[in-house]
Amino acid sequence: MTPPFEQLLDRLTTASYTSIGFPCAVDIDYRPLAPLLGVLLNNVGDPWTDGIHPMHAKGIERDVLGYFAELFRAPPGWTGYVTSGGTEGNHYGLWLGRTRLPNAIAYHSDAAHYSVAKAEHLLGLPGITVATLPTGEINYADLQRQASRWRSRPAIVTANIGTTMTEAVDDVHRIHEALDEAGVTHRYVHSDAALAGVPLALTADRPAFDLADGADSISISGHKFFGTPLICGVALARRGPSDTPAAIRYIGAPDASISGSRTGLGVVMLAHALDILGTAGLSDRTHRARDIATYTCRRLHHIGWPHWRNPGAFTVMLREPPDAVRTRWRLPSTDGWSHLICMPGVTTRQIDDFVEELSTAVPVQS
């Protein structure tokens, strides 16, 4: 009888070729880190204090955080940590916002990741959903209208830096302008940059989204652009909680994180990717992924299949294919549209195979 883990590996290996609807890079080899599977790496508590527990990788975590702080132009006094993923990063950012503005109203667009509304609920923040433009970008006029109704209350706004469906990017400068026009003086902006944060930071004509652009906090996912086989992420903030926690005697370190015990292995994986690629390698991956997205649009145009793409996005929107094609290629769909995501590691062969299958399907109704 085949062991369960081998059955799982067989299934995942088979599924990986046609799994182009979800954002996970597949071009970085993390197998050299396999010896670390024999030890526990728990970066418990604050990354800036090693603490009593010796089985950690906090020194490496500090280096990783320093890299992303420079990439996202963090000011002096910044803080952050390696999280369990984008959901925790969003929770952390909104928690910092509520800590500073306890009477705030939270605003997020209807294209926001589902974790945003969940974090607002867990934090007891009244949440208001803002409309989006056809591209998926937040509707700044609607944000102004909604916020003006509550101008006496502070605002906590989540900016989407690469929405889940269309990879639309909200402009942090325009969010601040909308709040100014609404008469909201006190505000906090969190950038949910789970997918697009790193690629955009490596782009010459980058939009306004990071800590130098007016975001108070930012979070990314490690398992998307970096394709880490362990779910993780990074959260950074201009400054930490106003009431810095005291050291916890049991662990010998303070803890201002959401999760407490945190992955040391994920830290090492991120460090491994940064070490072997560097900024130049990450930039090259970004350009190659965008080239594949451009190639995808050309192939879809060739067969006459309706499609569109936000500027610079890895994500290509296409009119929803027949169920058999959509299911086989794992394409999420909404309102008659599906998407595929040309993450680093997706090849022209995969795109060709997908388009060939699509071209023999039932013709789409324009």
Side-chain angles (χ1 to χ4, degrees), residues 101-309:
L101 303 171
N103 192 39
I105 301 290
Y107 301 87
H108 64 269
S109 84
D110 59 25
H113 189 266
Y114 65 86
S115 65
V116 174
K118 179 166 66 173
E120 291 170 355
H121 173 72
L122 290 171
L123 292 166
L125 282 167
I128 291 179
T129 302
V130 180
T132 50
L133 303 172
T135 60
E137 185 176 359
I138 194 169
N139 186 318
Y140 305 99
D142 190 49
L143 174 61
Q144 178 190 343
R145 285 192 295 271
Q146 301 271 21
S148 65
R149 297 173 53 215
W150 300 94
R151 61 171 54 93
S152 63
R153 302 273 293 272
I156 298 173
V157 182
T158 297
N160 300 312
I161 313 304
T163 57
T164 305
M165 195 65 194
T166 69
E167 207 177 321
V169 177
D170 299 339
D171 187 307
V172 169
H173 286 168
R174 296 187 66 185
I175 287 174
H176 280 290
E177 290 171 358
L179 295 176
D180 288 341
E181 292 167 1
V184 176
T185 303
H186 302 290
R187 79 280 298 262
Y188 181 103
V189 178
H190 170 70
S191 285
D192 175 8
L195 169 60
V198 175
L200 288 175
L202 299 169
T203 303
D205 55 346
R206 55 193 282 166
F209 76 94
D210 70 8
L211 299 176
D213 291 318
D216 295 282
S217 55
I218 186 169
S219 63
I220 65 167
S221 293
H223 51 285
K224 291 184 171 67
F225 183 66
F226 294 95
T228 58
L230 188 149
I231 307 302
C232 62
V234 173
L236 296 172
R238 289 174 168 275
R239 53 191 174 92
S242 54
D243 52 340
T244 304
I248 300 164
R249 185 173 182 181
Y250 174 66
I251 62 173
D255 181 24
S257 71
I258 299 293
S259 53
S261 287
R262 300 179 298 104
T263 173
L265 185 56
V267 165
V268 177
M269 288 176 176
L270 289 171
H272 173 72
L274 296 175
D275 182 58
I276 64 174
L277 291 168
T279 299
L282 295 176
S283 180
D284 182 62
R285 293 171 74 239
T286 297
H287 292 309
R288 283 188 280 118
R290 288 174 178 157
D291 286 344
I292 294 293
T294 300
Y295 177 82
T296 302
C297 290
R298 288 203 304 267
R299 295 288 284 114
L300 290 171
H301 176 75
H302 179 74
I303 67 169
W305 201 275
H307 64 280
W308 62 275
R309 173 185 168 215

Side-chain angles (χ1 to χ4, degrees), residues 33-55:
L33 304 179
L36 289 174
L37 293 176
V39 296
L40 169 68
L41 285 175
N42 184 357
N43 284 21
V44 61
D46 191 282
W48 315 107
T49 306
D50 285 353
I52 299 170
H53 179 62
M55 308 298 286

